């Protein structure tokens, strides 16, 4: 294992070597062999050089809840498990637009439309509905419309892009070796194929995973390597919330310092990507604001799909007190950006 100090990794990254941390060094960073505070300090230097005081905020809406035919072991929406989530119809377009307006008041610049589906068939009602919803969000102009709708053919992607889709989310969930222990109804390669297809259409891609599912540090390295190889734009890091009724219900949440170690190690391995923290971030407890010191450049604001989040007022107040300000997705990924002045007034939240 490489034992290069985290500060040296940061030096090399800031000198222009984006791949200064190789997989072996990432494994060392993740393994607990190095002091987590040193890793965080290095990650924070990289974050500040790249993103300054800017933080990316996005929101999501469940555009079709529950009843999913896939068997992802962490998911409350799989029809393979008996959970608190009941299958729903597609969310009306007007409701999606309302959520987009609400997301904007919370300084989110994108609303992700999420469906609990294997994918959207080219000739199905689901694709037509999501197409309409994306078009309506775009025309309303509150936020960008992103989507997380499972597998999509080229033809389906074309329709969504024409409607105004700017970014596709399709998480890899974990490393390739561990994936089959979590999901058996589709393969890692099917997921990668959809991400590649979206990139070929010119879409930005949002691809991340979930930690705390029993994976080893080497599985976390595999996931990071896949993200680097795919050259994705945004990386959502989720921490398992063990939902009653799913196979992973009994899993203990990761300790907060372990969560911060993962965030910091990913920042050093993926210095250019927007790394944002989504589900399970409240397990950071009192250490929540330290996710930015650990290298996170964004967070999901507002409720998650089937679990509540902290109130957006608390999140916006936290940003204000940290001297951080929201930025627009896809607009602030220069090599280096100017530090934004601290907001003078409290960020307003409109109910
Ligand atoms: S494909 Fe998505 S909605 Fe379906 S079970 Fe897996 S994570 Fe849940």
């Amino acid at each position: 294992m490489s034992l290069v100090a985290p500060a040296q990794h940061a030096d090399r990254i800031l000198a222009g070597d984006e791949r200064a941390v190789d997989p072996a060094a990432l494994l060392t960073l993740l393994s607990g062999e190095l002091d987590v505070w040193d890793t965080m300090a290095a990650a924070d230097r990289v974050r500040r050089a790249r993103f300054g005081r800017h933080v990316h905020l996005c929101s999501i809406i469940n555009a079709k809840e529950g009843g999913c035919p896939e068997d992802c072991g962490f998911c409350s929406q799989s029809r393979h498990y008996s959970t608190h989530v009941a299958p729903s119809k597609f969310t009306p377009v007007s409701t999606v637009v309302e959520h987009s307006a609400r997301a904007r008041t919370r300084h989110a610049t994108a609303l992700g439309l999420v469906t609990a589906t294997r994918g959207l068939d080219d000739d199905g009602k689901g694709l037509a509905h999501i197409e309409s919803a994306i078009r309506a969000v775009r025309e309303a102009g509150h936020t960008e419309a992103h989507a997380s709708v499972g597998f999509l053919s080229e033809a389906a992607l074309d329709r969504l892009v024409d409607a105004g889709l700017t970014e596709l989310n399709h998480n890899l969930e974990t490393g390739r070796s561990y994936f089959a222990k979590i999901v058996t109804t589709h393969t890692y390669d099917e997921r990668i194929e959809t991400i590649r297809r979206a990139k070929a259409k010119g879409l930005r891609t949002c691809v991340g995973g979930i930690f705390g599912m029993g994976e080893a540090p080497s599985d976390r390295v595999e996931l990071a390597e896949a993200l680097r190889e795919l050259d994705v734009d945004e990386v959502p890091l989720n921490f398992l919330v063990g939902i009653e009724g799913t196979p992973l219900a009994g899993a203990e949440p990761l300790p907060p310092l372990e969560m911060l170690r993962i965030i910091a190690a990913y920042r050093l391995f993926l210095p250019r990507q927007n790394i944002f923290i989504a589900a399970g971030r409240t397990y950071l407890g009192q250490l929540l604001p330290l996710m930015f010191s650990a290298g996170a450049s964004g967070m999901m604001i507002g409720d998650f799909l089937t679990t509540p989040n902290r109130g957006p007022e608390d999140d916006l107040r936290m940003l204000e007190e940290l001297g951080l300000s929201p930025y627009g997705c896809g607009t602030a990924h220069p090599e280096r950006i100017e530090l934004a002045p601290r907001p003078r007034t409290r960020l307003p939240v409109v109910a």
Side-chain angles (χ1 to χ4, degrees):
M1 274 193 192
S2 165
L3 282 173
V4 177
Q8 283 178 264
H9 290 312
D11 290 343
R12 286 180 55 197
I13 292 165
L14 296 175
D17 181 2
E18 283 193 359
R19 297 195 169 208
V21 177
D22 63 17
L26 176 62
L27 186 58
T28 302
L29 292 168
L30 287 165
S31 67
E33 217 172 314
L34 297 165
D35 188 308
V36 64
W37 293 94
D38 289 343
T39 306
M40 286 168 57
D44 192 40
R45 284 172 59 206
V46 173
R47 176 192 65 82
R48 280 187 288 150
R50 176 92 181 115
F51 297 95
R53 296 189 181 193
H54 293 85
V55 174
H56 174 240
L57 301 179
C58 64
S59 287
I60 51 176
I61 178 175
N62 222 340
K64 160 75 183 76
E65 190 169 69
C68 180
E70 303 305 295
D71 71 348
C72 309
F74 53 84
C75 184
S76 60
Q77 304 203 70
S78 167
R79 73 179 180 211
H80 295 261
Y81 315 125
S82 178
T83 71
H84 66 285
V85 177
S88 74
K89 295 189 171 161
F90 280 87
T91 304
V93 170
S94 58
T95 306
V96 174
V97 174
E98 280 167 24
H99 270 74
S100 170
R102 189 174 310 137
R104 184 67 210 160
T105 67
R106 296 165 176 174
H107 303 268
T109 53
L111 179 70
L113 281 61
V114 185
T115 60
T117 53
R118 177 177 167 81
L120 297 177
D121 294 337
D122 292 7
D123 51 1
K125 283 185 188 161
L127 179 60
H129 185 85
I130 294 300
E131 192 180 8
S132 304
I134 288 171
R135 183 164 285 115
V137 169
R138 183 188 66 179
E139 287 170 1
H142 304 297
T143 62
E144 283 190 29
H146 296 179
S148 182
V149 292
F151 303 117
L152 290 166
S153 69
E154 293 221 4
L157 277 167
D158 282 339
R159 281 174 58 179
L160 297 185
V161 169
D162 282 351
L165 184 70
T166 51
E167 183 166 314
L168 190 77
N169 165 261
H170 202 60
N171 288 336
L172 287 175
E173 315 302 9
T174 187
R176 177 183 285 276
S177 305
Y178 199 63
F179 186 80
K181 295 193 171 66
I182 301 294
V183 183
T184 68
T185 46
H186 59 265
T187 66
Y188 211 65
D189 285 324
E190 283 177 277
R191 288 191 167 255
I192 285 181
E193 197 181 313
T194 296
I195 296 160
R196 291 219 164 101
R197 213 176 267 155
K199 286 175 73 77
K201 297 291 177 192
L203 286 169
R204 296 198 307 271
T205 49
C206 172
V207 185
I210 306 174
F211 300 89
M213 299 193 292
E215 76 283 354
S218 58
D219 298 312
R220 296 171 185 171
V221 172
E222 277 189 10
L223 171 62
E225 283 186 272
L227 301 176
R228 179 186 268 184
E229 194 198 323
L230 285 164
D231 193 24
V232 301
D233 299 283
E234 332 270 358
V235 177
L237 301 185
N238 301 276
F239 297 93
L240 181 74
V241 178
I243 306 277
E244 202 57 45
T246 64
L248 294 173
E252 279 291 312
L254 292 179
L257 280 180
E258 175 78 1
M259 295 167 69
L260 293 173
R261 186 192 308 282
I262 292 168
I263 297 168
Y266 265 61
R267 167 53 66 213
L268 292 171
F269 193 74
L270 300 167
R272 196 165 43 82
Q273 274 77 9
N274 170 30
I275 293 177
F276 71 94
I277 315 303
R281 68 177 163 87
T282 52
Y283 288 143
L284 283 166
Q286 302 300 326
L287 304 191
L288 183 69
L290 290 182
M291 65 185 170
F292 301 112
S293 310
S297 49
M299 66 177 176
M300 195 171 281
I301 192 163
D303 282 345
F304 300 119
L305 295 178
T306 63
T307 54
N309 191 0
R310 262 174 32 125
E313 297 84 357
D314 289 337
D315 280 337
L316 292 174
R317 193 161 304 123
M318 172 175 70
L319 292 184
E320 183 190 354
E321 290 174 359
L322 289 168
L324 299 171
S325 26
Y327 75 88
C329 51
T331 59
H333 295 277
E335 288 312 305
R336 185 181 270 284
I337 53 181
E338 293 302 314
L339 297 187
R342 181 181 170 136
R344 279 190 220 119
T345 54
R346 179 152 289 179
L347 298 168
V349 173
V350 180

